[in-house]
Each structure stands twice: as structure tokens, then as C-alpha cells.
Amino acid sequence: MDLPLQVIVNNEIETKRIAEKFALLLKEGDKVLLNGDLGTGKTFFVKNVCVKYGIDTVTSPTFSIVNEYTGQKKIYHFDFYRIKKTVELFDIGFEDYMKDREAIIFIEWAELVPEVLPKKCYTIQFNYINETKREIFIKKNE
Ligand SMILES: Nc1ncnc2c1ncn2[C@@H]1O[C@H](COP(=O)(O)OP(=O)(O)O)[C@@H](O)[C@H]1O
Ligand SMILES: [Mg+2]
């Protein structure tokens, strides 16, 4: 997969295909920031990346803030949607999660807490077009 990538996907199967290709790029220590409105497919995307690593139990971390998984890779999956103050992240040990070089970290709604985000990361923007169509824009930031 060559980046940056900007595509229109017509359905879930096409999103899944992109997630599977993206999964092959990721290495331990990588951070992936996912932005886009509710229901645009951020969780769906992470779920399908994780399936590639033998993890098929991914659920939305909206209420838990962070979910952890271990398969062929170790995964921390955050959702900042309900975070009101940066201190709430520090309370749950966000800095320690970010320091773990063995894990791949996904953060949904990353843009809601910009002050804690790494510069070196992948960003994925999801835009809703219609019920099954989305625009997906994946970029690598050094
Ligand atoms: N092309 C598509 N890509 C991703 N999800 C899609 C697509 N078409 C329909 N959907 C549906 O949209 C919803 C996306 O939900 P979710 O991944 O939880 O969104 P978010 O995490 O961005 O709030 C799911 O119900 C999924 O089945
Ligand atoms: Mg979600």
C-alpha cells in the first residue's frame, strides 16, 4: 500500500480490504490516529486491522476509553470521544501506554485531545458519503 492514500470505498468489504492492507504496514510502536464523525467506520477499521493479527474480539472503547488485546501483535485501542479533560487520560496511565514500544496504538477521535498526540504517526480521516460509501484518507506523518 502506497501512502498517502485517498479513496472512496463503496461498502464495508472495500473498507475491510484497505484495513487488511494497512495492517501489513504496521509495526510495534506505531501510532494510528483516527478521525471522522460518529458512524463513519473508525471502529470498523480497527476491528478489521486486528482480525489480520488474529484478534477477533475488538469492540468500541467509547465507554472503557481503552481496550487492550494481544494476538500476533499487542494492541491498545483508545477512544477520546468521552474525554473532557486531558488529566483524565493521565489518570488512566496514557503516558505509560504511549511508551510501550511493543504495542501498536489506535486512537479514535484523536483530534479531541490534540495536546497529547505524537507527531510521528499515521492519520486516517473518515468522511461519510452515504449509508455504505465513505471517503478514507490515510497519511504517514514523520
Ligand atoms: N463502507 C463502510 N465502511 C465502514 N463502515 C461502514 C461502511 N458502510 C457501512 N458501514 C457501517 O457503518 C458503521 C460504522 O460504525 P463504527 O465503525 O462504529 O463508526 P465509528 O467508530 O466511526 O463511530 C458500522 O455499522 C458499519 O457496519
Ligand atoms: Mg468508534
Side-chain angles (χ1 to χ4, degrees), residues 38 42-44 60-62 79 108-109:
L38 272 183
K42 299 180 294 298
T43 301
F44 182 88
S60 175
T62 306
D79 189 332
E108 296 189 35
W109 285 102

Side-chain angles (χ1 to χ4, degrees), residues 12 32 38-39 55 79 89 94 106 115 119 135:
E12 289 180 5
V32 184
L38 272 183
I55 301 161
D79 189 332
L89 283 177
F94 181 72
F106 294 94
E115 58 272 23
K119 282 205 189 72
E135 181 187 42

Side-chain angles (χ1 to χ4, degrees), residues 2-92:
D2 288 326
L3 299 180
L5 172 75
Q6 188 160 19
V7 283
I8 306 277
V9 289
N10 291 297
N11 50 51
E12 289 180 5
I13 293 165
E14 291 184 15
T15 302
K16 183 176 168 62
R17 260 189 226 129
I18 292 176
E20 287 169 352
K21 284 190 190 143
F22 184 67
L24 300 176
L25 288 184
L26 290 178
K27 295 188 181 64
E28 286 71 10
D30 283 344
K31 320 279 191 287
V32 184
L33 315 183
L34 305 100
N35 292 304
D37 289 342
L38 272 183
T40 49
K42 299 180 294 298
T43 301
F44 182 88
F45 190 94
V46 175
K47 205 183 268 224
N48 283 288
V49 169
C50 289
V51 166
K52 260 312 219 200
Y53 305 144
I55 301 161
D56 60 1
T57 51
V58 171
T59 55
S60 175
T62 306
F63 292 97
S64 52
I65 310 297
V66 60
N67 290 336
E68 307 184 22
Y69 304 97
T70 308
Q72 288 142 37
K73 306 253 194 253
K74 185 169 163 192
I75 307 291
Y76 299 140
H77 181 194
F78 285 85
D79 189 332
F80 286 178
Y81 189 65
R82 284 158 45 89
I83 297 294
K84 305 230 156 31
K85 293 187 186 138
T86 307
V87 66
E88 294 171 38
L89 283 177
F90 296 135
D91 286 347
I92 61 162

